[in-house]
Amino acid sequence: MKTLSFLILFLFACEQTAQSSDVKISNEMLFVEGPRDDRRMYAIVNVEWKNAWKNETNHDAVWLFCKFVFGNDGYWHVPLKMTGHEVIRNDQSPALEIRLDVAEDGTGLFILPAKNYRGDVSLKIKLSIDPAPFSRMNTERASFRVFGIEMAQVPTGAFYAGEADSTKAREFQTFYQPDADGGYRGTVFINSENELTVGKDIAYTSEQVVYQGDGKGVVPKEFPKGYEGFYVMKYEIKQGEYAAFLNTLSNGQSQLRSNFGGRDYYAMRGTIAFDGEQYAAASPDRPCNFLSWDDAMAFADWCALRPMTELEFEKACRGSRKPFANEFPWGNADRLQVERRVNAEGDLVHLAGKSESELSTKTMAEFGASQYWVMDLAGSLWERCITVGDSTGRAFRGTYGDGNISYYGFATNADWPSGVSEKGGFGFRGGGFYHPDRSYHEFNPFSPVSYRRFGAWSGGNRTEAYGSRLVRRQ
């Protein structure tokens, strides 16, 4: 039997590799061997990122996934085998040991430090690819591309939700543990993924249902509550990442998902443009604002992640700390210590020029980092989360994207809310930065962890302060 063997090589353009998380993917090489009906496929790729860590609290990781891109005709997500992946070169010290954890559905894998470590990572990795979906597909005309997103682990464990100040809890519609009369008895202790009944196990005031929710209903066991460990994007979706996403889409898909072009887009920190052939972000490190909910969900489906629930948001912010009044994710009630802000040029930077290598438990406040070193959960852009405040949100079952969006550019998960109809299902947490001339208040740009005045508001399309952040369970 004649053996077919060929090689596809694709190198990222610099706009897509220079992400603010400093994840860089290069030298992707795909090897396809054997006859068409018995293919063997594997890829070699270089992966680098800065300021990796594993300590007694948690660790970071890179979520890696692959695509075949067929020019203007779109792409196909490339599934991985459950075994056969290996690190074939490690350019760091022997102190760095690497683990490769493949997702159960094969849509990607996590690269993470196996033992305590702090520093940069530079690897060459072999990926074992499942050839079954491509046995009859002509992949010779496709570009093979690999993408990486930096994540932070949020460990399994109990946590508290809600505001410790009862007056602020009522004023800002935060979660609380109700007494027999429905009054405030304290914050909510989440110690399992078991079903919760709104009004009995967890409650909130709802002066305006459109903003806070209906104040009733069952939050089923399948709804992710944050007790089980998960990975969350260390940063919000970046403009460089979103441009890379757009470059894989078909002409029809990209028409709806192109998030730029409004009269205020470039005046309000947006930098993505189209040169006739490729999308590129002039400032790929910037958080990607002007994202609609459907933009963000298409990106989530494309990279095989999912939206975050508002209970997971509180866990990612606070971790295992017991709540205190008006606290921010960095562990105190002082927003003035934060040095990581939007500068005059529109970039999110440490104003004193410090590197994230200096982030520690003692410097979380100045970096605006949570207990798990997740960046910008308060400030930067609003965090859109699945809400417990209406039946559409409570119907969420935590499914992941499969890597492939619809023909018209929408996410395909039935349990994910749709933004086009604005019928509910998600809300806003964390606050957002609009522009320097806007007055500062409880939500601009920093919002305390549990404030949820807009926790069930599913309105709003694309603005300078709307972005997104995604998650995946361990």
Side-chain angles (χ1 to χ4, degrees):
M1 182 179 293
K2 185 177 178 180
T3 298
L4 172 68
S5 180
F6 59 90
L7 170 71
I8 300 174
L9 172 65
F10 182 87
L11 299 180
F12 271 121
C14 62
E15 287 85 0
Q16 277 71 54
T17 58
Q19 300 169 10
S20 70
S21 57
D22 293 312
V23 177
K24 295 185 179 181
I25 309 295
S26 61
N27 299 325
E28 301 104 309
M29 296 185 292
L30 177 67
F31 295 90
V32 184
E33 300 173 341
R36 190 171 293 278
D37 58 355
D38 186 27
R39 286 180 169 176
R40 295 181 299 278
M41 302 176 71
Y42 64 93
I44 305 297
V45 59
N46 291 345
V47 182
E48 302 175 54
W49 78 96
K50 293 183 179 180
N51 304 314
W53 81 88
K54 179 177 174 58
N55 55 34
E56 291 72 21
T57 301
N58 73 324
H59 62 263
D60 75 338
V62 166
W63 172 245
L64 205 72
F65 56 98
C66 310
K67 307 284 184 184
F68 278 129
V69 181
F70 297 89
N72 295 336
D73 295 325
Y75 73 92
W76 192 259
H77 194 82
V78 177
L80 302 179
K81 287 187 173 182
M82 301 309 295
T83 59
H85 312 282
E86 60 178 310
V87 176
I88 56 179
R89 193 189 73 227
N90 182 348
D91 291 337
Q92 302 303 312
S93 69
L96 173 60
E97 294 185 26
I98 291 293
R99 240 174 64 191
L100 304 177
D101 289 352
V102 185
E104 290 183 356
D105 57 8
T107 52
L109 59 77
F110 287 105
I111 308 171
L112 58 142
K115 294 184 178 180
N116 282 9
Y117 179 76
R118 185 74 185 274
D120 298 343
V121 176
S122 179
L123 308 168
K124 179 179 281 188
I125 293 176
K126 176 182 178 182
L127 302 174
S128 181
I129 292 170
D130 182 358
F134 314 109
S135 60
R136 301 300 174 190
M137 184 183 295
N138 181 12
T139 57
E140 294 181 61
R141 67 183 186 89
S143 295
F144 176 74
R145 307 188 191 181
V146 182
F147 301 85
I149 298 175
E150 189 173 1
M151 314 287 283
Q153 183 219 26
V154 178
T156 296
F159 70 102
Y160 293 89
E163 167 61 44
D165 183 323
S166 60
T167 301
K168 293 293 185 181
R170 289 189 293 270
E171 181 181 358
F172 293 102
Q173 291 77 44
T174 76
F175 294 127
Y176 65 87
Q177 172 65 45
D179 60 23
D181 299 319
Y184 180 96
R185 189 168 67 183
T187 55
V188 183
F189 187 57
I190 306 291
N191 62 358
S192 76
E193 292 287 342
N194 291 340
E195 175 182 291
L196 297 173
T197 300
V198 180
K200 176 185 175 183
D201 304 307
I202 188 170
Y204 53 88
T205 59
S206 186
E207 297 177 0
Q208 294 176 290
V209 173
V210 68
Y211 285 149
Q212 296 93 39
D214 54 20
K216 61 184 180 181
V218 172
V219 185
K221 183 176 182 179
E222 295 81 5
F223 183 99
K225 300 170 189 66
Y227 174 79
E228 293 290 344
F230 60 96
Y231 286 99
V232 59
M233 291 175 66
K234 184 182 179 185
Y235 310 92
E236 293 146 333
I237 298 169
K238 300 300 177 183
Q239 294 186 30
E241 292 171 332
Y242 197 76
F245 157 69
L246 291 174
N247 282 329
T248 69
L249 304 187
S250 69
N251 290 336
Q253 290 169 332
S254 66
Q255 289 175 14
L256 283 176
R257 297 285 74 87
S258 298
N259 70 321
F260 57 90
R263 65 176 61 187
D264 60 345
Y265 176 75
Y266 295 108
M268 293 293 180
R269 309 191 302 282
T271 71
I272 299 174
F274 184 63
D275 67 4
E277 294 189 9
Q278 289 283 303
Y279 295 90
S283 296
D285 295 352
R286 287 186 190 176
C288 192
N289 53 1
F290 289 91
L291 288 183
S292 70
W293 174 259
D294 288 322
D295 293 335
M297 291 306 96
F299 185 90
D301 195 0
W302 173 82
C303 61
L305 300 176
R306 65 162 172 81
M308 174 171 53
T309 71
E310 56 175 329
L311 288 171
E312 289 177 317
F313 169 79
E314 295 212 19
K315 173 72 172 289
C317 285
R318 183 182 288 120
S320 58
R321 293 193 307 259
K322 192 168 183 178
F324 55 87
N326 308 312
E327 69 173 312
F328 293 101
W330 42 89
N332 63 38
D334 185 1
R335 73 185 72 188
L336 299 181
Q337 293 185 37
V338 180
E339 294 291 337
R340 184 174 163 86
R341 297 173 181 258
V342 177
N343 66 11
E345 289 72 39
D347 293 312
L348 183 60
V349 299
H350 192 294
L351 296 179
K354 290 187 179 181
S355 163
E356 283 182 35
S357 62
E358 298 176 72
L359 172 61
S360 69
T361 55
K362 295 181 179 180
T363 61
M364 291 190 302
E366 65 174 287
F367 280 95
S370 79
Q371 175 175 327
Y372 298 122
W373 294 2
V374 183
M375 309 298 288
D376 315 311
L377 285 166
S380 184
L381 303 177
W382 283 97
E383 306 288 345
R384 284 191 182 100
C385 302
I386 302 291
T387 185
V388 304
D390 60 46
S391 58
T392 301
R394 293 190 294 269
F396 180 62
R397 295 298 181 265
T399 63
Y400 302 112
D402 64 1
N404 294 301
I405 63 177
S406 77
Y407 180 83
Y408 292 107
F410 289 91
T412 58
N413 295 59
D415 63 321
W416 294 10
S418 171
V420 170
S421 61
E422 291 191 3
K423 292 183 178 178
F426 61 93
F428 292 76
R429 303 292 295 267
F433 177 82
Y434 287 84
H435 49 81
D437 298 331
R438 185 161 176 165
S439 60
Y440 294 96
H441 51 72
E442 289 88 350
F443 298 101
N444 177 38
F446 305 117
S447 175
V449 170
S450 295
Y451 287 15
R452 59 180 302 278
R453 184 169 282 172
F454 307 103
W457 182 54
S458 301
N461 189 14
R462 292 170 173 147
T463 80
E464 68 270 28
Y466 292 178
S468 201
R469 188 190 311 261
L470 309 168
V471 304
R472 187 173 181 112
R473 275 194 179 167
Q474 298 170 205

